[in-house]
Amino acid sequence: MVKTDFSPIADTTRRAEIVALLRRAILTGQLQPGQKLNELRISEQMRVSRAPLREAMRELVQEGILTSIPYAGTFVIDVTAKDIDDAYSLNQVLDEFAIERTWPQRDQRFFDELDRRHEAVKQATRNLDTTRQIETALQLHGLIYEWADNSVLLETWQRLTSRLQMYFALHQHARNEPVPAEDVHETYVHLMKGADMRAAQRHAREHINLDFEQLLSYARSLEQRLSKGA
Amino acid sequence: MVKTDFSPIADTTRRAEIVALLRRAILTGQLQPGQKLNELRISEQMRVSRAPLREAMRELVQEGILTSIPYAGTFVIDVTAKDIDDAYSLNQVLDEFAIERTWPQRDQRFFDELDRRHEAVKQATRNLDTTRQIETALQLHGLIYEWADNSVLLETWQRLTSRLQMYFALHQHARNEPVPAEDVHETYVHLMKGADMRAAQRHAREHINLDFEQLLSYARSLEQRLSKGA
DNA sequence: GACAATCAGATTGTCGACAATCTAACAAGA
DNA sequence: TCTTGTTAGATTGTCGACAATCTGATTGTC
């Protein structure tokens, strides 16, 4: 009996491609929070009819990065400081859980993949490609979720990730400067290879903490400016 | 200045109604796991064109209770024992977190709502309406998520709930008999009103445990039977 | 009989056009 | 001036028809 592992073939529907395009545009900040998506304009730009575009948008609405108001339009979600705080605190809990589940399953393949993703982050950092840096950092972090062998947890994390990526992109765009060149993930990778699970959990919590604190203060300052303007 | 709180008006699109209809059909077990949804047939039954139906289905795919294979069809998700186990373990973690967040926010309104929902469960139980009993039990349980004041957490819970409801419905249908008349939620409500948070967390974990264990064993027996038949 | 090629039917994916609804500008009246 | 009614334009929601794809039965060949 032949026993090969084939991955599912690529989705060949326009809808799937549109979803990917739109998601990327949103997560990289090309489409800004609050912005309205004009169906006719976008469908013409993509050379696609509105049907698959609309279906794609429904998916992204459920994915939580778009929001739709009947007969008014579909918009990129707004990012409030509270949203960030909510996502952050939930992320802490999920991280702890993911590490706990992943811990006994770690093997050589896990360590290799950990290194591979870590390398990707370092490369993006060297290239000063902030968008890619965010992407790779989240992928590195996501490894524990893929390894935890819990589909519902993974799904939940991926939903969270979408938003996190959006938040971080927003932040980077605003700062408009390369991110810390020093590698903050070194310790994390080291700990994930080690023997002390509690230490890894603690570090994950504190390490992420830093990033979030920056985000939060930025979001708060944005909101203050907005409320003054209104 | 007049200061009244109006809730958002109801969605008036066919799409939204279709989503509600389909979701209900799936969660109550009218549409069984694995079953294919024929677009033409359903659209004719609902007297609706395929466009809004398809959009509705895309939403439910993202909601996690449908799954779509391009050019093949859209199906109600299959329920495996592993899925149940995954959902269960994640639910434990989320419960603990939700109780922790809700705890300091409890007030009279919270207690009243707790009683109200508890009463709804008891009534459904008296009426031997198993479908409604599942619904109300989940609503009672969901109160801590609504009060935790964390939109991302609430959203996550609601996604989980959909599946849980599906699983429970499946179970009930199979047993085809009224559920335990004795009220298992009495202790839970009592603890949530009390002063010992840890005790409440512990109970939530153990209480849910029971329900899930039943579900799990049922799902496992189902799968065994299936694998024998195949 | 086993196997591959072909074809018809059914189903999903996509399109272009029309209907329903909203928004904003303007006009009319108090 | 402020409010209310009207209307035109733009945008979203829905429809029916066509194109692309899959499935399973049929045929033909070895």
Side-chain angles (χ1 to χ4, degrees), chain B residues 83-102:
Chain B
D83 285 336
I84 297 176
D85 198 41
D86 288 354
Y88 161 45
S89 57
L90 179 58
N91 195 74
Q92 284 188 325
V93 173
L94 294 183
D95 263 9
E96 216 159 292
F97 182 53
I99 290 180
E100 183 187 312
R101 289 296 165 122
T102 297

Side-chain angles (χ1 to χ4, degrees), chain A residues 176-225:
Chain A
N176 199 17
E177 64 182 31
V179 252
E182 36 150 354
D183 190 352
V184 287
H185 303 290
E186 203 73 54
T187 318
Y188 172 71
V189 170
H190 181 72
L191 280 170
M192 282 307 298
K193 288 180 177 175
D196 188 347
M197 186 178 86
R198 294 284 169 216
Q201 288 178 319
R202 215 177 312 119
H203 173 79
R205 175 170 286 220
E206 281 156 15
H207 155 105
I208 295 173
N209 207 332
L210 275 175
D211 293 0
F212 266 96
E213 288 301 337
Q214 283 189 0
L215 255 189
L216 256 179
S217 62
Y218 168 66
R220 290 213 180 90
S221 71
L222 252 185
E223 277 169 26
Q224 273 197 341
R225 224 179 308 159

Side-chain angles (χ1 to χ4, degrees), chain A residues 13-15 47-52 55 71-72:
Chain A
T13 59
R14 300 191 195 288
R15 184 181 69 236
R47 306 281 178 78
V48 175
S49 84
R50 284 173 56 222
E55 290 185 19
Y71 291 107

Side-chain angles (χ1 to χ4, degrees), chain A residues 7 23 40 43 48 55 67 89 117 122 174 182 190 198:
Chain A
S7 54
R23 187 190 288 122
L40 200 58
S43 70
V48 175
E55 290 185 19
T67 166
S89 57
R117 300 193 184 191
K122 286 197 275 195
E182 36 150 354
H190 181 72
R198 294 284 169 216

Side-chain angles (χ1 to χ4, degrees), chain A residues 3 5 46 69 82 91 125 147 178-179:
Chain A
K3 186 181 152 198
D5 284 356
M46 290 189 179
I69 305 174
K82 176 121 193 4
N91 195 75
T125 307
W147 226 264
V179 252

